[in-house]
Amino acid sequence: MRDFSQGHEWLSINTATVRKQWRLDRIVDECARRGIRAISPWRDQVAAVGLTALAKQLRDAGVVLSGYCRGGFFPAADEAGLQAAIDDNRRAIDEACTLRAPCLVLVVGSLPGALDGKPAYRDIARARAEVRDGIAATLEHARAAGMPLAIEPLHPMQAAERACINTLEQALDLCDELDAARGGALGVAVDLYHVWWDPKLAQQIARAGRERLLAFHVCDWLSPTRDLLNDRGMMGDGVIEIRKVRGWMEAAGYAGFAEVEIFSDHWWSRPGDEVLDTCIARLRSVV
Amino acid sequence: MRDFSQGHEWLSINTATVRKQWRLDRIVDECARRGIRAISPWRDQVAAVGLTALAKQLRDAGVVLSGYCRGGFFPAADEAGLQAAIDDNRRAIDEACTLRAPCLVLVVGSLPGALDGKPAYRDIARARAEVRDGIAATLEHARAAGMPLAIEPLHPMQAAERACINTLEQALDLCDELDAARGGALGVAVDLYHVWWDPKLAQQIARAGRERLLAFHVCDWLSPTRDLLNDRGMMGDGVIEIRKVRGWMEAAGYAGFAEVEIFSDHWWSRPGDEVLDTCIARLRSVV
């Protein structure tokens, strides 16, 4: 297992972590000057600075991506909506290619309209089928572009609005169904926040293996957690056995970045410098 | 599948649903006069009116139990704590016998101290082992008393504080480990709120079968959900396909009560009469 205590070369910052403090170009600068080698940006943040400009800035700064956030949200109330989602995912793949991302992270979606409080239907099995079909329809373009898709299982408390894939086992079953050859085009993003509770976590990480383990997101689960969306904890402030799970990841062959992704009203209210410096310190002491 | 649209003979009220409106003796009266045949009371509510007095009131009113809430909370920071939990579960079994409950529902506990914001350790695998040992140590007394134990998997968002058994599959694996003969002493309580999201729900309900399906709790999952504990919805107000899941339960052999269990700041703020009348109406129209 890699020793993270002496440096932070394997740290990546998911740019949502400081999205309320800084625009994306500033985030890249702040990471670069701290020796943070990688980021994972969100599409809306990229659009705000411009795709081409960002690609150039990243090259100049020597900062790479650990992933691109995000594709997904496949289910829809009608055929036009389903097709629009597939088209949008193809654009996301092209953007990810421009940014030389190692993978496009998929938050797959669930009951259409639920994010706005108006679910068009309640049949989660239908949403799951639409996710399967949407990924299948996207996979061809992803393979042609050489851009792996990383299915991110989300916490079951987000099953209605954000993702109807809620366990690593479920994500891997889908990978096996759509990419039986394990050709590298389809895998998973393991985000500790979403999967830490799973009694089958160790078993399923081992099952995934190197070909399927495309990203590793770290933060912590606060006890108590006060909000279903924006109360993630900094590593070390909660109850997740982070190093233990990283050990499972590495034993299964994962050798990439540990990407800090913290949606938190608390951390969004702190100075960006403090947040990044804390990420570095906690990576070394906790992760 | 039973037709619930014409009457509410299979309705039970988990007494937490109106705990802030009425004392338990009043709840029993209010249920009886509405033709609600069953309740599932909590130990603290029972203690407030007295075990013997309640047992007599129930007999006089012709109201039965669909379960007794609750045993569990097995993990502890030291041996004395582990033993105290086992002793307390034995007392809960005896109370359940006095009240002629069909089962004692187990909220198994998780990281000790986490409910008070001070987890004594973070090793959830240890908590799971302590739960297994605690149930094993309790099972002998339960068998002797003829009181089945119903393991209730709780939603993964409550995995740190309340229960480290978080899927029906995990609960059934434990049942198989401790009661391989399926002798009726150990089973599960299926609470829609906790398990609705599970992609293996239908499969695991079928696996459980009649011997293991000891209780069925209904409410709804609101989208969005605003609180991790006290924002359950009334049946029909959320996204759970309640009737579909009841169909799976009945196909697997379950023929007992549908127990309405709603922890909700909203419903606690409404008149108790309105809450019970709504439960009856929604059971008929939605469940």
Side-chain angles (χ1 to χ4, degrees):
Chain A
M1 188 165 160
R2 293 170 291 173
D3 178 6
F4 281 5
S5 70
Q6 301 303 311
H8 56 280
E9 65 176 320
W10 292 107
L11 173 64
S12 171
I13 297 293
N14 184 295
T15 59
T17 306
V18 284
R19 68 174 304 138
K20 299 204 178 175
Q21 289 92 337
W22 293 323
R23 227 170 74 124
L24 183 55
D25 44 1
R26 174 79 183 274
I27 296 173
V28 173
D29 285 342
E30 295 288 349
C31 285
R33 76 180 183 85
R34 284 174 172 81
I36 296 173
R37 298 196 300 142
I39 63 168
S40 184
W42 287 66
R43 290 180 78 191
D44 64 315
Q45 293 175 297
V46 172
V49 302
L51 180 67
T52 313
L54 177 66
K56 179 175 188 315
Q57 185 190 5
L58 289 168
R59 278 196 306 275
D60 293 347
V63 171
V64 300
L65 264 56
S66 58
Y68 188 47
C69 293
R70 60 172 168 63
F73 278 84
F74 294 102
D78 54 33
E79 280 299 324
L82 293 168
Q83 186 58 51
I86 291 167
D87 294 342
D88 191 55
N89 275 278
R90 288 177 181 163
R91 284 191 294 275
I93 288 168
D94 296 341
E95 293 167 25
C97 288
T98 300
L99 297 173
R100 302 184 186 180
C103 63
L104 174 67
V105 173
L106 300 182
V107 173
V108 298
S110 190
L111 309 180
L115 255 186
D116 305 313
K118 290 189 169 42
Y121 61 73
R122 301 185 310 157
D123 183 350
I124 196 167
R126 174 176 163 185
R128 285 167 172 155
E130 291 176 356
V131 165
R132 180 197 62 217
D133 294 346
I135 295 177
T138 306
L139 200 51
E140 190 181 351
H141 188 75
R143 281 201 179 100
M147 179 54 58
L149 303 177
I151 302 170
E152 180 169 343
L154 291 205
H155 197 286
M157 72 185 176
Q158 299 176 355
E161 299 91 5
R162 286 182 172 75
C164 57
I165 294 186
N166 305 105
T167 65
L168 192 51
E169 179 176 44
Q170 184 190 7
L172 291 169
D173 286 350
L174 189 53
C175 289
D176 287 350
E177 180 182 347
L178 299 180
D179 176 50
R182 299 173 72 90
L186 192 58
V188 295
V190 176
D191 184 317
L192 286 178
Y193 187 74
H194 295 300
V195 302
W196 75 274
W197 58 271
D198 187 346
K200 302 177 90 168
L201 183 58
Q203 174 204 102
Q204 294 297 315
I205 286 175
R207 167 192 172 188
R210 184 186 196 112
E211 301 83 7
R212 296 279 196 230
L213 295 172
L214 301 180
F216 180 49
H217 301 176
V218 300
C219 67
D220 215 333
W221 179 274
L222 299 178
S223 174
T225 287
R226 299 180 193 283
D227 185 273
L228 279 79
L229 196 59
N230 296 329
D231 196 23
R232 298 196 196 188
M234 180 65 68
M235 299 81 75
D237 290 344
V239 299
I240 302 177
E241 297 177 290
I242 301 174
R243 192 168 285 153
K244 183 187 281 185
V245 181
R246 184 165 72 85
W248 298 339
M249 291 286 292
E250 302 216 353
Y254 183 77
F257 290 98
E259 175 185 322
V260 177
E261 182 180 23
I262 301 178
F263 292 75
S264 159
D265 290 326
H266 170 74
W267 289 103
W268 283 328
S269 76
R270 306 300 307 164
D273 290 310
E274 177 188 332
V275 177
L276 291 189
D277 292 342
T278 305
C279 288
I280 292 172
R282 295 295 179 86
L283 183 95
R284 297 171 70 152
S285 64
V286 174
V287 177
Chain B
M1 188 164 159
R2 292 170 292 172
D3 178 7
F4 281 4
S5 70
Q6 301 303 312
H8 56 280
E9 64 176 320
W10 292 106
L11 172 64
S12 171
I13 298 293
N14 184 295
T15 59
T17 304
V18 284
R19 68 174 304 138
K20 299 204 179 176
Q21 289 92 337
W22 293 323
R23 229 170 72 125
L24 183 54
D25 44 2
R26 174 79 183 273
I27 296 172
V28 173
D29 285 342
E30 294 288 348
C31 285
R33 76 180 183 85
R34 284 174 172 81
I36 295 172
R37 298 197 298 142
I39 63 168
S40 182
W42 287 66
R43 290 181 78 191
D44 64 312
Q45 293 175 296
V46 171
V49 302
L51 180 66
T52 313
L54 177 66
K56 179 175 188 314
Q57 184 190 7
L58 289 168
R59 278 196 306 276
D60 292 347
V63 171
V64 300
L65 264 57
S66 59
Y68 188 47
C69 295
R70 59 173 170 64
F73 277 84
F74 294 103
D78 55 31
E79 281 300 323
L82 294 169
Q83 187 57 52
I86 292 167
D87 294 343
D88 191 54
N89 275 279
R90 288 177 181 163
R91 284 191 294 275
I93 289 168
D94 295 341
E95 293 166 25
C97 289
T98 300
L99 298 172
R100 301 183 186 181
C103 63
L104 174 67
V105 173
L106 299 183
V107 173
V108 297
S110 190
L111 309 180
L115 254 186
D116 306 312
K118 289 188 170 42
Y121 61 73
R122 301 185 310 158
D123 183 350
I124 196 166
R126 173 176 163 186
R128 285 166 172 155
E130 291 176 357
V131 165
R132 180 197 61 218
D133 295 346
I135 294 176
T138 306
L139 200 51
E140 189 181 351
H141 188 74
R143 281 200 179 100
M147 179 53 59
L149 303 178
I151 302 171
E152 180 168 343
L154 291 205
H155 197 286
M157 72 186 176
Q158 298 176 355
E161 298 90 6
R162 284 181 173 75
C164 57
I165 294 187
N166 305 105
T167 66
L168 192 50
E169 179 176 43
Q170 185 190 6
L172 291 169
D173 286 349
L174 188 53
C175 288
D176 287 350
E177 180 182 346
L178 298 180
D179 177 49
R182 300 172 72 89
L186 192 57
V188 295
V190 175
D191 184 317
L192 286 178
Y193 187 75
H194 295 300
V195 302
W196 75 275
W197 59 271
D198 187 346
K200 303 178 88 168
L201 183 57
Q203 175 204 103
Q204 294 297 315
I205 286 174
R207 167 191 172 189
R210 184 187 195 112
E211 301 83 6
R212 295 278 197 231
L213 295 172
L214 301 181
F216 181 47
H217 300 176
V218 300
C219 67
D220 215 332
W221 179 272
L222 300 178
S223 174
T225 289
R226 300 178 192 284
D227 185 274
L228 279 80
L229 195 59
N230 296 329
D231 196 23
R232 298 197 197 188
M234 180 64 67
M235 300 80 74
D237 290 344
V239 299
I240 302 178
E241 297 178 290
I242 300 174
R243 192 167 284 152
K244 183 187 281 186
V245 181
R246 184 165 73 85
W248 298 338
M249 291 286 293
E250 302 216 354
Y254 183 76
F257 290 98
E259 175 185 322
V260 178
E261 182 180 24
I262 301 179
F263 292 75
S264 160
D265 290 326
H266 169 74
W267 289 102
W268 283 328
S269 76
R270 307 300 308 164
D273 290 310
E274 177 189 332
V275 177
L276 291 189
D277 291 343
T278 305
C279 289
I280 291 171
R282 296 294 180 86
L283 183 96
R284 297 171 69 152
S285 63
V286 174
V287 177

